[in-house]
Amino acid sequence: MQDNYRNIYKRARETSGMTQERFAEALGLSVESVRLYETGRGLPSDDVVVDMIAISGLQVLGYQHLLNKSRVAAEILPEVAECSLPQAVIQLICRIRDFGDRHRTDDLMNIAADGRIDDHERALFDEIVAELDSVVQAAMQLKYAQGGQL
């Protein structure tokens, strides 16, 4: 995961169309700080990243920064692959459709009816949660799709 996001700060600067010097000035930082972030030798603070997002308009930067910064986030948040808006919409709709076609909502209702997950229900429940993770991943890809950012 780290390799995919190694140059996210450089990408934010390039998206903004600024030189390192101008980007540093806009952020109220030294050029050396910007260089450290772009080479992966340092991580900017969350406040700096919020400013980078505001300057570049690159909303996915916050998500990618969180994955870089937090081992917990890297473990629990889905990887978000960059794709076009139409591709992201199609992927999300297909995953939702497939979830419904497999009657997973019915399965979840049956599992939850007694308020607990029995041993014989655990495997099905884990399978359903994995499918929901796939839906969440597709939803996040839609949120950050190329051409879909506000």
Side-chain angles (χ1 to χ4, degrees), residues 92-140:
L92 178 59
I93 291 171
C94 286
R95 289 181 185 168
I96 292 170
R97 182 201 59 212
D98 293 346
F99 189 84
D101 287 351
R102 286 195 281 289
H103 304 284
R104 293 311 202 189
T105 53
D106 294 339
D107 292 337
L108 275 175
M109 293 292 286
N110 291 331
I111 291 170
D114 63 359
R116 60 191 174 97
I117 303 169
D118 297 328
D119 289 342
H120 69 280
E121 298 170 324
R122 173 55 63 185
L124 178 60
F125 179 79
D126 291 345
E127 191 177 305
I128 292 168
V129 168
E131 289 177 31
L132 286 172
D133 285 344
S134 159
V135 172
V136 169
Q137 178 185 30
M140 294 301 290

Side-chain angles (χ1 to χ4, degrees), residues 72-93:
V72 173
E75 289 290 324
I76 65 173
L77 294 176
E79 185 171 344
V80 175
E82 291 189 47
C83 60
S84 68
L85 182 59
Q87 182 182 13
V89 168
I90 291 167
Q91 287 178 1
L92 178 59
I93 291 171

Side-chain angles (χ1 to χ4, degrees), residues 1-11 37-41 43 64-65 67-69 74 79-82:
M1 176 108 31
Q2 288 285 70
D3 289 342
N4 293 340
Y5 304 121
R6 187 175 51 220
N7 294 313
I8 59 174
Y9 312 108
K10 181 176 182 179
R11 183 169 164 223
Y37 305 151
E38 290 188 6
T39 60
R41 293 180 296 157
L43 279 177
Q64 293 170 338
H65 171 74
L67 292 175
N68 274 344
K69 181 180 176 180
E79 185 171 344
V80 175
E82 291 189 47

Side-chain angles (χ1 to χ4, degrees), residues 16-88:
S16 73
M18 295 183 182
T19 63
Q20 284 183 339
E21 292 76 15
R22 178 67 186 106
F23 199 52
E25 182 181 317
L27 293 168
L29 301 172
S30 68
V31 175
E32 183 57 31
S33 292
V34 171
R35 284 188 188 121
L36 285 173
Y37 305 151
E38 290 188 6
T39 60
R41 293 180 296 157
L43 279 177
S45 70
D46 293 346
D47 290 335
V48 169
V49 173
V50 167
D51 291 342
M52 287 179 176
I53 293 167
I55 292 167
S56 69
L58 193 62
Q59 297 296 313
V60 73
L61 174 63
Y63 189 86
Q64 293 170 338
H65 171 74
L66 185 59
L67 292 175
N68 274 344
K69 181 180 176 180
S70 168
R71 185 173 153 223
V72 173
E75 289 290 324
I76 65 173
L77 294 176
E79 185 171 344
V80 175
E82 291 189 47
C83 60
S84 68
L85 182 59
Q87 182 182 13

